[in-house]
Amino acid sequence: MTTPILDFVRSYAESGTARFHMPGHKGTGPLGCESLDITEISGADELFCADGIIAESEKNASELFGSYKTLYSTEGSSLAIRAMLALAISDTPYGERPLILATRNAHKVFIYSAALLDFDIEWLYPKAPSHICSCSVSADEVRNAIANMDRRPVALYVTSPDYLGGMCDIKGLSEVCRQLGILLLVDNAHGAYLNFLDTPMHPMALGADMCCDSAHKTLPVLTGGAYLHIAHSASRYADMAKDKMALFASTSPSYLTLASLDACNAYLDGEYRGALSYAILRIDKIKALARERKIPILDGEPSKLTVCIAKCGYTEKQFRRMLKESCIEAEFIDSDYAVFMLNEKNSESDFSRLEGFILNLPLCEDIKKEAPIFSAPRQKISVREAMLARSESVPVSSSVGRICATPSVSCPPAVPLVISGEVICEATVSGLQALGIERIQVVKE
Ligand SMILES: Cc1ncc(COP(=O)(O)O)c(C=O)c1O
């Protein structure tokens, strides 16, 4: 597979051309990568009107992912999500407010998109109390929810995989969405690699209409590198997609990140599948060891190991300390779970270190605790009104009855317990306090 962007930046770096253009480092500096960091000079194409090397590279990515069209983002899935939602609501008849049905474990970028694009949200909550990152819904639940709605949503928006590795039944959901004539949009930020498994589990393979992938999260791509994939079923949106991306994006995309996405195509087309398949076997071995030792772990996507630390008898602080002593850094730790993201780029010594940690982890008595749960607060004003209103910071303890202005949430996992425009209730306060959140931004009265 060709790598036109990488080839271009490399040959420009080697050409010795005098740089009377941006960026200001002029190709030299302390990082060592400055010579490859260019701007839209002649021949370098333009990300949002691509017809040269970027268009060729995006076409390569589209072939790899089996999409109708794939667009690059150098500003993460955050940008791809805004564009995807802007495309989806473009079908709303003039004068009507767009409505999206979404699972409540949405990343905060979804809420920010609602503020920017001014759409309404109907939330789907998990049936059983679950961690705020998880919200598994079945195809039947979606069908019933839509049957009971006064207004028809333009799309169903789900997060799969979620931060803990939980996955939705994308195939089942896509069938329901197709029958009901609404789009299925997937926040697949954590799942770019799913396309390359022996049995692909990527949303494009399972019937989603559009999805975002943070290439940088699971593939060897620089931070910020991401895709917006548009399936053949949603080809009618493809012509508008670049404009919607441009609406929210910087006019100075990073060519380092573009070159990294480009180089990744050749890797995905070459040795990747074999390397991934081997890594999954290796990860499965660590999971099997955990199960053998009765260490509770979650079922879910193949590349994540999610250890239920509270059930192992550890507090967040204790577990963090133990990991630090073992020279291991996890992706995410809270009072319930520790999430490890593994892949083929981890060395055998990384795998062995984690394996050793699991092997020697003493099991203590389960810390029984009430996890913060979604309390389904009432939406009083729109997300946009609340987010753009004058606001003030108040202690969470005295926020009952106030309207949330900005979601108080830490990143990761960036899943808010209360959303802009919702009225804060007692249950929300308990949940926020359980998450260690002490202050919240509310709409000024
Ligand atoms: C579920 C989910 N969606 C979207 C995003 C945003 O992705 P990015 O950081 O690539 O903009 C994240 C980031 O952590 C995420 O976890």
Side-chain angles (χ1 to χ4, degrees):
M1 187 159 268
T2 59
T3 52
I5 306 176
L6 181 65
D7 298 349
F8 182 88
V9 294
R10 270 196 184 144
S11 99
Y12 186 69
E14 286 159 11
S15 69
T17 306
R19 299 183 182 214
F20 295 109
H21 59 74
M22 298 180 272
H25 55 60
K26 307 295 177 188
T28 59
L31 299 180
C33 59
E34 287 86 349
S35 65
L36 301 175
D37 183 37
I38 59 164
T39 186
E40 288 151 326
I41 54 172
S42 113
D45 208 359
E46 210 179 309
L47 181 56
F48 299 118
C49 316
D51 60 3
I53 54 173
I54 296 177
E56 182 185 336
S57 181
E58 287 181 324
K59 195 157 177 299
N60 285 343
S62 162
E63 263 171 44
L64 286 164
F65 285 90
S67 68
Y68 177 76
K69 191 176 174 83
T70 290
L71 294 89
Y72 288 161
S73 158
T74 64
E75 295 166 71
S77 279
S78 300
L79 174 60
I81 288 172
R82 290 182 202 116
M84 173 163 80
L85 290 163
L87 288 169
I89 66 165
S90 66
D91 275 346
T92 310
Y94 185 74
E96 278 180 33
R97 285 188 63 76
L99 176 64
I100 302 220
L101 180 64
T103 49
R104 182 67 184 213
N105 60 340
H107 185 271
K108 67 178 175 183
V109 71
F110 177 73
I111 317 301
Y112 294 161
S113 305
L116 292 168
L117 295 163
D118 200 16
F119 59 78
D120 292 331
I121 310 165
E122 179 82 26
W123 291 112
L124 287 164
Y125 289 91
K127 268 212 152 146
S130 62
H131 189 275
I132 56 164
C133 288
S134 310
C135 184
S136 162
V137 286
S138 68
D140 280 342
E141 284 167 75
V142 169
R143 195 191 303 280
N144 292 339
I146 294 178
N148 289 319
M149 285 166 71
D150 312 332
R151 280 196 291 150
R152 212 177 133 81
V154 288
L156 169 66
Y157 177 94
V158 299
T159 302
S160 175
D162 63 39
Y163 224 101
L164 302 180
M167 298 190 61
C168 294
D169 168 18
I170 299 296
K171 192 163 185 294
L173 295 176
S174 76
E175 281 157 15
V176 173
C177 288
R178 205 132 300 155
Q179 283 159 12
L180 299 175
I182 68 168
L183 294 168
L184 175 60
L185 312 177
V186 183
D187 174 347
N188 183 52
H190 290 248
Y193 79 99
L194 295 171
N195 189 53
F196 304 93
L197 296 173
D198 295 341
T199 307
M201 291 160 72
H202 189 274
M204 283 294 107
L206 299 177
D209 292 296
M210 289 188 252
C211 76
C212 67
D213 301 352
S214 296
H216 68 94
K217 289 193 200 301
T218 60
L219 302 178
V221 168
L222 291 181
T223 295
Y227 313 107
L228 169 62
H229 301 295
I230 300 176
H232 292 264
S233 56
S235 59
R236 65 186 184 281
Y237 298 97
D239 278 354
M240 297 183 286
K242 286 273 177 187
D243 285 349
K244 302 296 186 211
M245 291 281 256
L247 183 60
F248 302 108
S250 164
T251 51
S252 303
S254 160
Y255 269 78
L256 283 179
T257 304
L258 288 175
S260 175
L261 283 163
D262 184 49
C264 187
N265 287 339
Y267 174 66
L268 297 177
D269 192 39
E271 72 218 67
Y272 180 56
R273 278 188 172 84
L276 176 66
S277 173
Y278 175 77
I280 299 294
L281 289 177
R282 191 68 186 84
I283 298 164
D284 282 349
K285 217 174 133 206
I286 300 178
K287 290 182 181 178
L289 173 69
R291 289 196 185 96
E292 208 176 287
R293 291 213 51 230
K294 306 263 181 297
I295 293 173
I297 59 171
L298 294 187
D299 289 331
E301 53 150 313
S303 77
K304 276 199 180 102
L305 171 70
T306 304
V307 179
C308 314
I309 61 166
K311 288 195 179 144
C312 295
Y314 295 105
T315 62
E316 177 182 341
K317 204 167 157 199
Q318 286 168 332
F319 205 78
R320 280 186 190 279
R321 199 183 53 234
M322 288 159 63
L323 283 178
K324 193 157 191 204
E325 281 164 7
S326 300
C327 215
I328 292 174
E329 186 74 31
E331 164 61 24
F332 167 67
I333 308 176
D334 72 0
S335 57
D336 293 299
Y337 298 106
V339 177
F340 302 87
M341 291 174 78
L342 301 89
N343 77 8
E344 82 293 349
K345 291 290 177 190
N346 284 113
S347 62
E348 178 48 38
S349 107
D350 291 346
F351 285 125
S352 307
R353 193 173 305 176
L354 187 56
E355 205 162 43
F357 180 82
I358 296 288
L359 186 66
N360 296 308
L361 183 69
L363 283 177
C364 310
E365 201 176 321
D366 184 350
I367 302 176
K368 299 225 179 330
K369 56 192 271 301
E370 295 274 309
I373 52 162
F374 295 115
S375 49
R378 182 169 62 90
Q379 186 87 32
K380 192 160 179 194
I381 59 176
S382 73
V383 173
R384 182 182 175 86
E385 281 173 296
M387 194 90 81
L388 301 186
R390 183 170 285 277
S391 66
E392 61 183 335
S393 167
V394 298
V396 163
S397 54
S398 56
S399 66
V400 172
R402 302 294 299 272
I403 298 173
C404 169
T406 320
S408 294
V409 63
S410 61
C411 193
V415 176
L417 198 61
V418 61
I419 311 288
S420 313
E422 288 179 341
V423 181
I424 298 163
C425 60
E426 299 278 3
T428 312
V429 167
S430 313
L432 289 168
Q433 286 172 335
L435 290 173
I437 297 170
E438 286 169 10
R439 296 192 74 81
I440 185 160
Q441 205 71 20
V442 294
V443 173
K444 205 163 176 156
E445 286 169 345

PDB file of all heavy atoms in Angstrom, residues 373-390:
ATOM      1  N   ILE A 373     -24.275   5.753  40.338  1.00  0.00           N
ATOM      2  CA  ILE A 373     -25.050   5.323  39.161  1.00  0.00           C
ATOM      3  C   ILE A 373     -25.759   6.526  38.548  1.00  0.00           C
ATOM      4  O   ILE A 373     -25.900   7.563  39.182  1.00  0.00           O
ATOM      5  CB  ILE A 373     -26.085   4.234  39.521  1.00  0.00           C
ATOM      6  CG1 ILE A 373     -26.934   4.699  40.711  1.00  0.00           C
ATOM      7  CG2 ILE A 373     -25.447   2.910  39.802  1.00  0.00           C
ATOM      8  CD1 ILE A 373     -28.213   3.941  40.858  1.00  0.00           C
ATOM      9  N   PHE A 374     -26.208   6.351  37.315  1.00  0.00           N
ATOM     10  CA  PHE A 374     -26.934   7.433  36.658  1.00  0.00           C
ATOM     11  C   PHE A 374     -28.291   7.597  37.334  1.00  0.00           C
ATOM     12  O   PHE A 374     -29.022   6.629  37.525  1.00  0.00           O
ATOM     13  CB  PHE A 374     -27.146   7.105  35.176  1.00  0.00           C
ATOM     14  CG  PHE A 374     -25.857   7.022  34.415  1.00  0.00           C
ATOM     15  CD1 PHE A 374     -25.438   5.829  33.854  1.00  0.00           C
ATOM     16  CD2 PHE A 374     -25.056   8.141  34.255  1.00  0.00           C
ATOM     17  CE1 PHE A 374     -24.264   5.752  33.138  1.00  0.00           C
ATOM     18  CE2 PHE A 374     -23.868   8.074  33.541  1.00  0.00           C
ATOM     19  CZ  PHE A 374     -23.476   6.880  32.989  1.00  0.00           C
ATOM     20  N   SER A 375     -28.634   8.842  37.678  1.00  0.00           N
ATOM     21  CA  SER A 375     -29.870   9.051  38.420  1.00  0.00           C
ATOM     22  C   SER A 375     -30.991   9.599  37.539  1.00  0.00           C
ATOM     23  O   SER A 375     -32.027   9.988  38.038  1.00  0.00           O
ATOM     24  CB  SER A 375     -29.590  10.001  39.581  1.00  0.00           C
ATOM     25  OG  SER A 375     -28.878  11.128  39.105  1.00  0.00           O
ATOM     26  N   ALA A 376     -30.795   9.622  36.224  1.00  0.00           N
ATOM     27  CA  ALA A 376     -31.808  10.109  35.279  1.00  0.00           C
ATOM     28  C   ALA A 376     -32.379  11.468  35.684  1.00  0.00           C
ATOM     29  O   ALA A 376     -33.590  11.615  35.849  1.00  0.00           O
ATOM     30  CB  ALA A 376     -32.917   9.069  35.122  1.00  0.00           C
ATOM     31  N   PRO A 377     -31.525  12.494  35.837  1.00  0.00           N
ATOM     32  CA  PRO A 377     -32.049  13.803  36.230  1.00  0.00           C
ATOM     33  C   PRO A 377     -32.928  14.418  35.131  1.00  0.00           C
ATOM     34  O   PRO A 377     -32.830  14.031  33.971  1.00  0.00           O
ATOM     35  CB  PRO A 377     -30.783  14.656  36.424  1.00  0.00           C
ATOM     36  CG  PRO A 377     -29.621  13.763  36.261  1.00  0.00           C
ATOM     37  CD  PRO A 377     -30.082  12.526  35.570  1.00  0.00           C
ATOM     38  N   ARG A 378     -33.791  15.360  35.543  1.00  0.00           N
ATOM     39  CA  ARG A 378     -34.728  15.996  34.596  1.00  0.00           C
ATOM     40  C   ARG A 378     -34.006  17.082  33.799  1.00  0.00           C
ATOM     41  O   ARG A 378     -33.264  17.885  34.371  1.00  0.00           O
ATOM     42  CB  ARG A 378     -35.865  16.625  35.414  1.00  0.00           C
ATOM     43  CG  ARG A 378     -36.960  17.296  34.610  1.00  0.00           C
ATOM     44  CD  ARG A 378     -38.132  17.619  35.534  1.00  0.00           C
ATOM     45  NE  ARG A 378     -37.747  18.557  36.591  1.00  0.00           N
ATOM     46  CZ  ARG A 378     -37.826  19.888  36.485  1.00  0.00           C
ATOM     47  NH1 ARG A 378     -38.258  20.440  35.372  1.00  0.00           N
ATOM     48  NH2 ARG A 378     -37.471  20.670  37.496  1.00  0.00           N
ATOM     49  N   GLN A 379     -34.242  17.094  32.492  1.00  0.00           N
ATOM     50  CA  GLN A 379     -33.630  18.125  31.629  1.00  0.00           C
ATOM     51  C   GLN A 379     -34.540  19.352  31.666  1.00  0.00           C
ATOM     52  O   GLN A 379     -35.688  19.292  31.260  1.00  0.00           O
ATOM     53  CB  GLN A 379     -33.536  17.582  30.189  1.00  0.00           C
ATOM     54  CG  GLN A 379     -32.808  18.471  29.209  1.00  0.00           C
ATOM     55  CD  GLN A 379     -31.291  18.239  29.205  1.00  0.00           C
ATOM     56  OE1 GLN A 379     -30.853  17.126  29.444  1.00  0.00           O
ATOM     57  NE2 GLN A 379     -30.518  19.282  28.953  1.00  0.00           N
ATOM     58  N   LYS A 380     -34.035  20.476  32.169  1.00  0.00           N
ATOM     59  CA  LYS A 380     -34.895  21.658  32.275  1.00  0.00           C
ATOM     60  C   LYS A 380     -34.707  22.612  31.094  1.00  0.00           C
ATOM     61  O   LYS A 380     -35.668  23.181  30.584  1.00  0.00           O
ATOM     62  CB  LYS A 380     -34.598  22.388  33.588  1.00  0.00           C
ATOM     63  CG  LYS A 380     -35.632  23.443  33.888  1.00  0.00           C
ATOM     64  CD  LYS A 380     -35.647  23.827  35.336  1.00  0.00           C
ATOM     65  CE  LYS A 380     -36.681  24.911  35.598  1.00  0.00           C
ATOM     66  NZ  LYS A 380     -36.487  25.518  36.896  1.00  0.00           N
ATOM     67  N   ILE A 381     -33.464  22.801  30.693  1.00  0.00           N
ATOM     68  CA  ILE A 381     -33.197  23.632  29.512  1.00  0.00           C
ATOM     69  C   ILE A 381     -32.263  22.848  28.579  1.00  0.00           C
ATOM     70  O   ILE A 381     -31.711  21.823  28.977  1.00  0.00           O
ATOM     71  CB  ILE A 381     -32.577  25.007  29.889  1.00  0.00           C
ATOM     72  CG1 ILE A 381     -31.263  24.829  30.659  1.00  0.00           C
ATOM     73  CG2 ILE A 381     -33.550  25.871  30.668  1.00  0.00           C
ATOM     74  CD1 ILE A 381     -30.548  26.138  30.973  1.00  0.00           C
ATOM     75  N   SER A 382     -32.108  23.331  27.360  1.00  0.00           N
ATOM     76  CA  SER A 382     -31.298  22.546  26.413  1.00  0.00           C
ATOM     77  C   SER A 382     -29.820  22.564  26.817  1.00  0.00           C
ATOM     78  O   SER A 382     -29.377  23.452  27.561  1.00  0.00           O
ATOM     79  CB  SER A 382     -31.456  23.103  24.994  1.00  0.00           C
ATOM     80  OG  SER A 382     -30.757  24.331  24.887  1.00  0.00           O
ATOM     81  N   VAL A 383     -29.106  21.597  26.307  1.00  0.00           N
ATOM     82  CA  VAL A 383     -27.661  21.517  26.582  1.00  0.00           C
ATOM     83  C   VAL A 383     -27.000  22.830  26.138  1.00  0.00           C
ATOM     84  O   VAL A 383     -26.174  23.407  26.844  1.00  0.00           O
ATOM     85  CB  VAL A 383     -27.032  20.320  25.841  1.00  0.00           C
ATOM     86  CG1 VAL A 383     -25.519  20.335  25.972  1.00  0.00           C
ATOM     87  CG2 VAL A 383     -27.592  19.002  26.352  1.00  0.00           C
ATOM     88  N   ARG A 384     -27.398  23.308  24.967  1.00  0.00           N
ATOM     89  CA  ARG A 384     -26.778  24.527  24.439  1.00  0.00           C
ATOM     90  C   ARG A 384     -27.056  25.733  25.344  1.00  0.00           C
ATOM     91  O   ARG A 384     -26.133  26.477  25.686  1.00  0.00           O
ATOM     92  CB  ARG A 384     -27.308  24.804  23.027  1.00  0.00           C
ATOM     93  CG  ARG A 384     -26.669  26.024  22.386  1.00  0.00           C
ATOM     94  CD  ARG A 384     -27.283  26.269  21.011  1.00  0.00           C
ATOM     95  NE  ARG A 384     -26.784  27.477  20.411  1.00  0.00           N
ATOM     96  CZ  ARG A 384     -25.666  27.579  19.691  1.00  0.00           C
ATOM     97  NH1 ARG A 384     -24.922  26.519  19.505  1.00  0.00           N
ATOM     98  NH2 ARG A 384     -25.308  28.717  19.149  1.00  0.00           N
ATOM     99  N   GLU A 385     -28.335  25.885  25.745  1.00  0.00           N
ATOM    100  CA  GLU A 385     -28.671  27.030  26.609  1.00  0.00           C
ATOM    101  C   GLU A 385     -27.850  26.980  27.890  1.00  0.00           C
ATOM    102  O   GLU A 385     -27.314  27.991  28.349  1.00  0.00           O
ATOM    103  CB  GLU A 385     -30.160  26.978  26.981  1.00  0.00           C
ATOM    104  CG  GLU A 385     -31.096  27.469  25.907  1.00  0.00           C
ATOM    105  CD  GLU A 385     -32.544  27.226  26.310  1.00  0.00           C
ATOM    106  OE1 GLU A 385     -32.936  26.046  26.450  1.00  0.00           O
ATOM    107  OE2 GLU A 385     -33.269  28.204  26.484  1.00  0.00           O
ATOM    108  N   ALA A 386     -27.762  25.771  28.466  1.00  0.00           N
ATOM    109  CA  ALA A 386     -27.060  25.641  29.748  1.00  0.00           C
ATOM    110  C   ALA A 386     -25.563  25.879  29.590  1.00  0.00           C
ATOM    111  O   ALA A 386     -24.932  26.560  30.402  1.00  0.00           O
ATOM    112  CB  ALA A 386     -27.314  24.253  30.337  1.00  0.00           C
ATOM    113  N   MET A 387     -25.019  25.339  28.511  1.00  0.00           N
ATOM    114  CA  MET A 387     -23.558  25.422  28.327  1.00  0.00           C
ATOM    115  C   MET A 387     -23.138  26.851  28.008  1.00  0.00           C
ATOM    116  O   MET A 387     -22.045  27.275  28.371  1.00  0.00           O
ATOM    117  CB  MET A 387     -23.159  24.476  27.185  1.00  0.00           C
ATOM    118  CG  MET A 387     -21.703  24.180  27.076  1.00  0.00           C
ATOM    119  SD  MET A 387     -21.172  22.755  28.022  1.00  0.00           S
ATOM    120  CE  MET A 387     -21.604  21.377  27.022  1.00  0.00           C
ATOM    121  N   LEU A 388     -24.016  27.610  27.321  1.00  0.00           N
ATOM    122  CA  LEU A 388     -23.636  28.967  26.933  1.00  0.00           C
ATOM    123  C   LEU A 388     -24.097  30.015  27.952  1.00  0.00           C
ATOM    124  O   LEU A 388     -23.801  31.198  27.807  1.00  0.00           O
ATOM    125  CB  LEU A 388     -24.196  29.311  25.544  1.00  0.00           C
ATOM    126  CG  LEU A 388     -23.738  28.401  24.393  1.00  0.00           C
ATOM    127  CD1 LEU A 388     -24.231  28.936  23.051  1.00  0.00           C
ATOM    128  CD2 LEU A 388     -22.223  28.239  24.344  1.00  0.00           C
ATOM    129  N   ALA A 389     -24.855  29.586  28.957  1.00  0.00           N
ATOM    130  CA  ALA A 389     -25.383  30.544  29.947  1.00  0.00           C
ATOM    131  C   ALA A 389     -24.281  31.048  30.870  1.00  0.00           C
ATOM    132  O   ALA A 389     -23.219  30.415  30.994  1.00  0.00           O
ATOM    133  CB  ALA A 389     -26.469  29.870  30.775  1.00  0.00           C
ATOM    134  N   ARG A 390     -24.555  32.169  31.541  1.00  0.00           N
ATOM    135  CA  ARG A 390     -23.638  32.625  32.583  1.00  0.00           C
ATOM    136  C   ARG A 390     -23.685  31.583  33.706  1.00  0.00           C
ATOM    137  O   ARG A 390     -24.769  31.120  34.073  1.00  0.00           O
ATOM    138  CB  ARG A 390     -24.117  33.986  33.093  1.00  0.00           C
ATOM    139  CG  ARG A 390     -23.222  34.609  34.131  1.00  0.00           C
ATOM    140  CD  ARG A 390     -23.656  36.037  34.374  1.00  0.00           C
ATOM    141  NE  ARG A 390     -23.249  36.917  33.285  1.00  0.00           N
ATOM    142  CZ  ARG A 390     -22.029  37.459  33.175  1.00  0.00           C
ATOM    143  NH1 ARG A 390     -21.124  37.234  34.109  1.00  0.00           N
ATOM    144  NH2 ARG A 390     -21.733  38.243  32.174  1.00  0.00           N
TER     145      ARG A 390
END
